[in-house]
Amino acid sequence: MANILFLTHRIPYPPDKGDKIHTYHLLRHLGRQHRLMVGTFVDDAGDEKHLPQVRSLCAEMHAARLYPSLARLRSLGGLLRNKALTLGYYRDAGMARWVRQTSAQRSVAAGSRCLNTASNQSRPHSTAVSRAITRAFTRWPAG
């Protein structure tokens, strides 16, 4: 059983939209054979009631509250620096700290351990461990 650090830009529950459907089913599939540590963002206060359902799919979870208005302002810094706007939008010190601590404490980056980022928006938080990752799941497994 491998430890998988799974990062996603939005809470994958309820599975009622394309990216949420994909991520929810991927979590369920991977959770059958692996220990999942899920990092996600909650951008709607109404979605906080769904956190228990996501927790039931994983061994550990970190949910960072994202305020879209403030995130849009932070993303504007990307225009000045010629960077992707999503880097500022999803920048979160708490998430970055959790990713570093989790990957160090749980040996996520060693051997057969894996890192999944379900979206491009979550990838900046994986920078600390990405060089040591042996395989990244970015698509639904074949078969």
Side-chain angles (χ1 to χ4, degrees), residues 36-135:
L36 300 177
M37 289 145 298
V38 175
T40 188
F41 291 91
V42 179
D43 62 357
D44 182 342
D47 280 344
E48 289 180 1
K49 66 184 176 196
H50 301 299
L51 290 174
Q53 286 86 353
V54 177
R55 277 193 185 95
S56 72
L57 299 172
C58 57
E60 296 177 37
M61 186 177 85
H62 177 80
R65 185 69 168 97
L66 181 73
Y67 299 93
S69 300
L70 294 172
R72 282 191 287 275
L73 286 173
R74 279 196 317 267
S75 70
L76 292 177
L79 290 174
L80 300 173
R81 291 184 219 99
N82 200 27
K83 302 271 185 191
L85 300 181
T86 55
L87 293 176
Y89 192 92
Y90 289 97
R91 186 179 65 234
D92 183 85
M95 180 68 77
R97 184 173 40 258
W98 180 80
V99 167
R100 283 191 308 273
Q101 290 172 349
T102 301
S103 61
Q105 293 170 354
R106 304 288 183 235
S107 299
V108 171
S112 65
R113 278 47 172 199
C114 306
L115 170 76
N116 178 66
T117 53
S119 65
N120 289 333
Q121 293 89 339
S122 303
R123 286 202 173 98
H125 295 292
S126 67
T127 305
V129 293
S130 63
R131 289 186 184 141
I133 300 304
T134 58
R135 180 174 176 199

Side-chain angles (χ1 to χ4, degrees), residues 18-50:
D19 60 331
K20 287 185 170 193
I21 294 168
H22 169 84
T23 304
Y24 173 77
H25 288 290
L26 185 56
L27 280 174
R28 284 189 48 214
H29 175 79
L30 292 173
R32 291 181 188 134
Q33 296 181 2
H34 304 287
R35 186 171 187 272
L36 300 177
M37 289 145 298
V38 175
T40 188
F41 291 91
V42 179
D43 62 357
D44 182 342
D47 280 344
E48 289 180 1
K49 66 184 176 196
H50 301 299

